[in-house]
């Protein structure tokens, strides 16, 4: 599966409080959460972002609170994929569980500009910067996680598993 | 022969039904408790209903605690709390705690005896790592994992590597668990233990009270850790026996267990430590911090709202008055702690001092309610995070410190050491 979109760049330690501030956690509606995505670090983000765009960030993306509302807000805002140098572990699980594609890539951040156009091949784990012509590879998901992603998220995966008699 | 394992690895191996596990291995482990609150459970309930099972895996092994935006802060929060209440009723969840019996989840769950040594616990709240103080494996997850945990009673985990934290000697008067964990986060950074366990050990552990250990394990997540865990000793057993009838199992790390890194902390030379805006790793000692004037002081939260925290704060406040123009808000973490603080006269001391005392809630810690900051305001809090906008406006600032430093600072109106007000 290939994704193409313009990039929005963020730094290190982007925490879930700035991804979706707690004052908006009185709802679980993805559309409403998306209206406030990244609000406390880039108030203009929701006006700039277009469907299919790609977020690129530094180390420890999604640190802090366990709120699954964070990947939901990002997905709801139209972002098709998040590429970061590394992810905080709860965010990593949550993104896989809700079907937000994420990739770990160390090199790309230092060679990218805001608005560059990227093409991401999720099954191959490759990233092409169409603006600069440079390509990158990322760590492949373990097979176990690919099964969750291929099932369409954790709920579909567990439904299948429970259906097979595991209780 | 089984290879050497850390304490965390041993617990995970046992609950996965395996003789041994290695760091990086993917396993499925049985769950002893699945926890959620009023902002993460509504999402989990929605996902749970999609799975299509007619019951939860075990009515006694799920805990629902409406603590974040409760007592209800607005109409939408009231609806979310109602959804959780109705789910608990529909599925016969035994451990649902209504306002009035409720407390901040990570203080309440150990107090109710719902976690003991050797348990595997998941909670849709990042500070679920608190229960590592009891010798349990306990970790934060999201709402979908909570949903599948409630349905299946098991969850997949990647077996973590570990950092061994060796604690030496004893801390000085008023230096507490909060100073230990802030100092450690300052040393290794907010992602220093990412995907790893923080395993505490050394002779210094014995000098730490259970409340100190809860505080330390609670903030393991602030170093990116999957869990923080303490060895089980006499103090742990005394706590478990006083609070729980559940069976327990004591695990010990092998002497030759593999650790990615070892960090030593000499408790006797540790000073009062403060995390400056906007990361918990941005630490300084009170001595080096200079003059930092405050608008608000918050004492409470799942990190520092326990009885010892209130005792030390009240001791320093006793007979003194709050700094003019400052607001001090105190949140006992559970109803039991509230009652005990009342019986010991701590709340009277605090009210006479000029502090506001609230019912238990996570409220101000995450910028929910009951103490939100305006632009340009500065707060010293005994909570766990000081990210941009964490307690209110993006141009407000949060400093993290111990209850002793918080109480002293409430007297002077600027960040201060307890000795400065006890002269």
């Amino acid at each position: 599966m290939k994704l193409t979109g313009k990039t929005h760049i963020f730094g290190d330690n982007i925490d879930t409080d700035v991804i979706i501030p707690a004052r908006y956690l009185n709802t679980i509606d993805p559309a409403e959460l998306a209206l406030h995505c990244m609000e406390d670090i880039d108030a203009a983000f929701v006006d700039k972002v277009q469907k299919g765009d790609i977020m690129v960030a530094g180390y420890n993306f999604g640190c802090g609170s366990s709120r699954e509302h964070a990947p939901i807000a990002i997905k709801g805002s139209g972002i098709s994929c998040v590429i970061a140098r590394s992810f905080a572990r709860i965010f990593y699980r949550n993104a896989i569980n809700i079907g937000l594609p994420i990739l770990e890539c160390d090199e790309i951040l230092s060679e990218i500009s805001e608005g560059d156009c990227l093409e991401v091949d999720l099954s191959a784990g490759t990233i092409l910067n169409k603006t600069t012509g440079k390509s990158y590879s990322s760590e492949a998901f373990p097979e176990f996680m690919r099964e969750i992603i291929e099932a369409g998220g954790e709920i579909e995966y567990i439904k299948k598993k429970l259906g097979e008699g595991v209780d | 022969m089984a290879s050497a394992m850390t304490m965390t690895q041993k617990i995970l191996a046992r609950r996965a039904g395996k003789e041994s596990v290695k760091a990086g291995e993917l396993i499925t482990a049985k769950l002893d408790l699945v926890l959620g609150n009023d902002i993460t459970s509504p999402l989990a309930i929605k996902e749970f209903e999609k799975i299509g099972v007619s019951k939860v895996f075990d009515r006694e092994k799920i805990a629902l605690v409406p603590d974040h935006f409760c007592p209800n802060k607005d109409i939408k929060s009231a609806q979310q709390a109602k959804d959780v209440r109705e789910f608990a009723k529909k599925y016969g969840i035994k451990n649902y705690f209504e306002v009035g019996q409720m407390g901040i989840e990570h203080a309440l769950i150990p107090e109710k005896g719902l976690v003991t040594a050797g348990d595997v616990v998941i909670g849709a709240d990042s500070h679920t790592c608190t229960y590592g103080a009891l010798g349990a494996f306990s970790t934060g997850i999201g709402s979908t994992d909570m949903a599948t945990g409630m349905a299946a009673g098991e969850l997949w985990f990647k077996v973590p590597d570990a950092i061994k934290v060796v604690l030496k000697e004893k801390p000085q008067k008023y230096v507490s668990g909060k100073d230990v964990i802030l100092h450690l986060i300052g040393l290794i950074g907010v992602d220093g233990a990412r995907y790893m366990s923080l395993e505490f050990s050394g002779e210094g552990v014995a000098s730490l009270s259970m409340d100190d250990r809860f505080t330390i394990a609670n903030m393991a997540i602030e170093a990116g850790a999957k869990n923080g865990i303490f060895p089980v000793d006499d103090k742990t057993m005394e706590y478990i026996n006083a609070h729980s009838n559940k069976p327990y199992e004591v695990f010990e790390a092998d002497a030759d267990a593999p650790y990615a890194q070892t960090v030593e902390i000499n408790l006797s030379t540790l000073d009062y430590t403060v995390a400056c805006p906007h990361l918990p790793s941005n630490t300084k000692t009170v001595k080096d911090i200079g003059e930092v004037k405050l608008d608000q002081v918050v004492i409470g939260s799942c990190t520092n709202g326990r009885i010892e925290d209130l005792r030390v704060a009240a001791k320093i406040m006793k007979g003194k008055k709050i700094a003019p123009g400052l607001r001090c808000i105190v949140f006992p973490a559970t109803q039991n702690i509230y009652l005990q603080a009342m019986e010991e006269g701590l709340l009277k001391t605090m009210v006479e001092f000029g502090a506001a005392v609230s019912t238990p809630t996570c409220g101000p810690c995450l910028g929910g309610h009951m103490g939100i900051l305006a632009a340009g305001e500065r707060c010293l809090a005994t909570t766990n995070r000081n990210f941009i906008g964490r307690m209110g406006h993006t141009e407000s600032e949060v400093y993290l410190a111990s209850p002793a430093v918080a109480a002293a600072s409430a007297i002077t109106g600027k960040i201060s050491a307890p000795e400065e007000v006890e002269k």
Side-chain angles (χ1 to χ4, degrees), chain A residues 13 15 17 22 25-26 32 40 60 64-66 68-69 86-87 89 92-94 97 144 154-155 159, chain B residues 39 47 69 74 76 80 125 139-145 148 156 190 194-195 366 385 387 390 394:
Chain A
N13 302 314
D15 62 79
D17 275 275
L25 298 185
N26 55 8
E32 207 177 328
D40 281 1
N60 204 26
S65 141
S66 70
E68 202 163 292
H69 312 67
S86 64
F87 291 92
R89 58 161 287 275
Y92 185 95
R93 285 187 82 110
N94 287 347
N97 286 345
F144 181 82
E154 198 189 14
I155 294 298
K159 267 166 88 170
Chain B
I39 59 176
E47 297 304 313
F69 292 169
D74 54 32
K76 283 168 142 184
Q80 295 205 131
D125 187 283
T139 192
I141 43 82
S143 297
T144 300
D145 279 333
T148 57
W156 68 270
V190 287
R194 203 172 52 91
Y195 286 90
L366 77 162
R385 289 188 177 129
F387 300 147
R390 172 73 179 178
T394 54

Side-chain angles (χ1 to χ4, degrees), chain A residues 62-76:
Chain A
C63 62
S65 141
S66 70
R67 63 190 70 161
E68 202 163 292
H69 312 67
I72 290 173
I74 291 173
K75 196 179 174 192

